[in-house]
Amino acid sequence: MKHQLLLGAILFSLSGSLLAAESLCQQKEQDIQREIDMAKQHDNQRRVTGLERALTEVRAGCTDEKLKSAHSERIAEQKHKIAKRERELKEERQDGDKDKIEKRERKLLDAQHELKKLEAEPY
């Protein structure tokens, strides 16, 4: 029984290592292929065509370095957007308009949520 548990734990850890070894470009290809399959199931030919074009582009020019760089750039842009939203909220709090303050707070929360979502993505 102990040997079976040990073997199971080893296999589980190896499968995680193998998934981590998969390149970001391969993950992106698989994600696009999954989207293509879903679009086909829903009979959405326009989406299939667009996704197939995206898949061709990924296969032709994708590198992990490009993906990481683009992802880092999107995160930096989102952080810049959050800083802007914080400044706008601060200015609005000085003016004191309750409706505008609430609007700015919602925009800031949306921007922060988007940043967390970006940070959770692998690419």
Side-chain angles (χ1 to χ4, degrees), residues 1-106:
M1 180 70 172
K2 288 181 182 180
H3 295 288
Q4 288 175 338
L5 289 175
L6 182 60
L7 180 62
I10 291 171
L11 289 175
F12 181 74
S13 66
L14 285 176
S15 66
S17 300
L18 292 174
L19 287 175
E22 185 178 356
S23 81
L24 293 175
C25 290
Q26 289 171 329
Q27 288 178 14
K28 187 164 186 126
E29 281 184 39
Q30 290 172 357
D31 291 344
I32 293 171
Q33 188 59 55
R34 224 173 287 117
E35 290 289 325
I36 290 171
D37 294 341
M38 288 181 65
K40 284 180 179 178
Q41 287 176 350
H42 291 92
D43 209 23
N44 188 343
Q45 189 55 44
R46 281 188 164 168
R47 180 120 171 99
V48 170
T49 302
L51 288 166
E52 286 175 344
R53 187 177 313 120
L55 185 59
T56 301
E57 290 173 9
V58 166
R59 287 179 176 158
C62 182
T63 66
D64 287 353
E65 292 76 29
K66 284 181 185 178
L67 284 177
K68 288 177 186 177
S69 175
H71 186 65
S72 295
E73 190 174 312
R74 285 193 307 273
I75 288 174
E77 288 171 3
Q78 193 63 29
K79 286 180 179 181
H80 178 72
K81 186 175 185 178
I82 288 172
K84 178 183 174 189
R85 299 283 187 227
E86 287 172 340
R87 284 191 306 275
E88 291 171 347
L89 177 59
K90 183 179 177 181
E91 290 171 8
E92 209 55 63
R93 283 188 174 150
Q94 291 173 348
D95 293 343
D97 186 341
K98 184 179 176 182
D99 291 335
K100 288 184 180 180
I101 290 171
E102 288 175 1
K103 180 181 174 182
R104 299 288 184 203
E105 286 173 342
R106 279 192 308 273

